[in-house]
Amino acid sequence: MKIDAKLKSQTPAFSFEFFPPKNEEGMRTLFDTVAELKELDPTYVSVTYGAGGSTRRLTVELVERIQRETGIDAMAHLTCVGATREEIGGVLSDLKNAGIQNVLALRGDPPKGQEKFERTEGGFGYANELAQFIRDSHDFCIGGACYPEMHPEAASSDADMDALKRKVDAGASVLITQLFFDPNVYLHFVERCRAAGIDVPIIAGIMPVTNIGQVKRFTAMCGASIPGPLLQRLEQTNGEQGEIRKVGVEHAILQCQKLLEAGAPGLHFYTLNRSKATREILQSLR
Ligand code: FAD
């Protein structure tokens, strides 16, 4: 089923994001995780698209397999990186033939070693162009990414908002945010989106902290900030792994509670292919 249709009657939505593993062992871990998280009855799950389109085949195979084996609606991420419109059209046809109805239309990051994103000849330069292409050529529910703390390459937050409006006007009917840790950042962003005439559901992207180095790396890359008090609590753990997890999960529970109380239509968990932290958070919310 299409996610935008589901969100009309099933809110708040809970969803989980996975990435295509690199080897057999990773694949086993992923499917164990999927089985454990299925018990939480997610609204949908999504599978990322590797940098440079490197997981094109695997992403299609995984969304198909997860949806077929578990009955959970799956969303395929799709980027413009290194692909012509014909190649992207081919991926969309594969997804359609596999029974997938949901696509997250992304521009993607520049491939390793390349500083700036460059449009492939015959391809797309921005996510709104991809969304338009999908809408014109296929019948998918189209999702889009959004950035409560601004996309790092945007000239300004107003310019980023204009780009987001173009993406929604081009067909994105559901938005999923980049990770963030302060609920007020999300609430302020949603207010700005509504003022800009963006009226589609904005699902909050949640990443429970389980590793300090990793979260610092991710936030530095994507332009998200770690609130001072959270960072302080994490640093007071002196690197003790169990304590870091505890602080991260406690913070995520409070964050999710506030978001749901304020009316967020859904929570999208960046699971990193592990289930434990996400299960603890959802069990506590329910
Ligand atoms: P766009 O919406 O195209 O925006 C990119 C930049 O260009 C922004 O700064 C924007 O302000 C600007 N811009 C947009 N349109 C225009 C325009 N017409 N003119 C001028 N400027 C414009 N990456 C992956 O490789 N694989 C994944 O699976 C993946 N999944 C993700 C899932 C989520 C929920 C999120 C939030 C991000 C994900 N990403 C993924 C990362 C994403 O690819 C990067 O953040 C990328 O840099 C931007 O993609 P976008 O679709 O937001 O781009």
Side-chain angles (χ1 to χ4, degrees), residues 48-49 77 79 104 106-109 126-128 145 147 151 153-154 160 163 166-167 176 178 270:
T48 65
Y49 202 73
H77 297 208
T79 75
L104 188 65
L106 298 150
R107 185 200 69 176
D109 285 319
Y126 295 106
N128 67 295
Y147 303 84
H151 184 265
E153 290 168 41
D160 208 27
R166 273 195 294 275
K167 186 155 37 181
I176 305 177
Q178 183 57 279
Y270 295 108

Side-chain angles (χ1 to χ4, degrees), residues 32-273:
D32 288 348
T33 299
V34 171
E36 282 160 4
L37 291 177
K38 178 178 159 49
E39 289 167 20
L40 297 169
D41 195 19
T43 312
Y44 69 94
V45 296
S46 78
V47 178
T48 65
Y49 202 73
S54 53
T55 64
R56 194 172 300 171
R57 189 186 47 78
L58 203 49
T59 299
V60 176
E61 276 176 21
L62 277 176
V63 280
E64 192 271 338
R65 183 172 161 198
I66 292 174
Q67 188 167 279
R68 177 169 42 80
E69 288 186 6
T70 65
I72 305 168
D73 289 302
M75 171 183 257
H77 297 208
L78 178 61
T79 75
C80 310
V81 180
T84 61
R85 59 174 52 219
E86 283 73 26
E87 284 163 339
I88 288 176
V91 178
L92 291 168
S93 299
D94 290 345
L95 289 169
K96 182 128 204 84
N97 293 335
I100 301 302
Q101 300 188 62
N102 303 288
V103 174
L104 188 65
L106 298 150
R107 185 200 69 176
D109 285 319
K112 259 203 184 110
Q114 201 176 297
E115 210 173 294
K116 281 180 91 181
F117 178 90
E118 276 167 30
R119 176 194 303 263
T120 297
E121 210 181 315
F124 304 107
Y126 295 106
N128 67 295
E129 298 171 15
L130 175 59
Q132 185 78 51
F133 176 72
I134 299 174
R135 181 163 77 177
D136 291 347
S137 58
H138 288 81
D139 177 29
F140 286 103
C141 161
I142 305 168
C146 62
Y147 303 84
E149 296 178 85
M150 193 177 99
H151 184 265
E153 290 168 41
S156 67
S157 57
D158 285 348
D160 208 27
M161 188 58 72
D162 291 346
L164 188 59
K165 177 77 166 70
R166 273 195 294 275
K167 186 155 37 181
V168 171
D169 290 345
S173 57
V174 181
L175 297 175
I176 305 177
T177 75
Q178 183 57 279
L179 61 92
F180 61 93
F181 296 101
D182 177 352
N184 290 325
V185 162
Y186 168 88
L187 297 177
H188 177 60
F189 174 69
V190 172
E191 237 174 67
R192 289 183 56 236
C193 288
R194 300 309 178 220
I198 294 171
D199 56 5
V200 300
I202 302 175
I203 294 177
I206 306 293
M207 199 181 85
V209 180
T210 53
N211 178 313
I212 301 185
Q214 186 181 55
V215 80
K216 282 187 176 166
R217 239 185 1 265
F218 285 170
T219 50
M221 260 171 0
C222 74
S225 59
I226 309 176
L230 172 61
L231 190 58
Q232 206 179 357
R233 283 190 68 201
L234 287 167
E235 282 176 343
Q236 278 164 357
T237 61
N238 292 323
E240 211 280 291
Q241 202 49 40
E243 279 301 302
I244 295 170
R245 274 195 82 265
K246 190 162 168 270
V247 171
V249 168
E250 273 173 17
H251 179 86
I253 290 171
L254 284 178
Q255 182 187 357
C256 293
Q257 277 168 347
K258 284 193 187 154
L259 291 168
L260 294 178
E261 275 162 25
L267 304 175
H268 181 76
F269 290 90
Y270 295 108
T271 69
L272 305 178
N273 291 3

